[in-house]
Amino acid sequence: MSTLEKWRAQSLGKPAQDKVWTAAARLQAVIATAAMDEVTRNAWCRENGLYAHQLQQWKDSATQSLAAPEEMRASPSQTKADRRRIKELERELRRKESALAEAAALLVLSKKTAAIFQRNAQDQDE
């Protein structure tokens, strides 16, 4: 048996549940099984290596993702409050950054002055 024939036999012999279901394939499965009664849907699931609860999860996920944009949209007053809060946080961040820069400059300056005074003390001792 050639290699290609072996590969073909292996791929055909794989169980259907090892199949990777893309988002489009999931939606198509939900649409195809939507009008089926429970017995027919279960038979379809067995043929395709799925469980009925997986189809239900996919249906719920599709329904939720279609409904989410409307529910997730912020109200104008919420948006205005968010913009105000962002401005306050940016102002506070600028203030803290400048304070940090000032503290860093003072630290460098104090180290330099300490080094200068230490050098002067050594020069006087000699």
Side-chain angles (χ1 to χ4, degrees), residues 30-125:
V30 168
I31 292 169
T33 59
M36 294 180 184
D37 63 342
E38 190 174 349
V39 174
T40 311
R41 187 180 311 116
N42 288 336
W44 187 92
C45 287
R46 281 191 300 276
E47 289 174 11
N48 290 287
L50 291 174
Y51 292 103
H53 73 272
Q54 288 175 307
L55 275 175
Q56 186 60 42
Q57 287 174 346
W58 295 349
K59 180 180 176 184
D60 294 343
S61 175
T63 305
Q64 185 180 20
S65 63
L66 289 173
E70 287 294 320
E71 296 166 3
M72 297 296 286
R73 190 173 297 150
S75 66
S77 61
Q78 181 65 34
T79 306
K80 190 174 183 179
D82 288 344
R83 272 192 251 126
R84 189 178 315 118
R85 177 77 175 135
I86 289 170
K87 281 186 178 182
E88 288 173 11
L89 290 171
E90 287 174 345
R91 192 177 316 121
E92 186 178 343
L93 180 63
R94 281 193 299 273
R95 183 185 61 79
K96 288 181 179 181
E97 283 177 344
S98 65
L100 183 62
E102 184 180 348
L106 289 173
L107 182 64
V108 168
L109 186 60
S110 67
K111 286 182 179 180
K112 285 185 179 183
T113 55
I116 290 172
F117 286 130
Q118 189 177 29
R119 207 173 324 142
N120 286 343
Q122 287 176 357
D123 289 342
Q124 290 176 358
D125 290 341

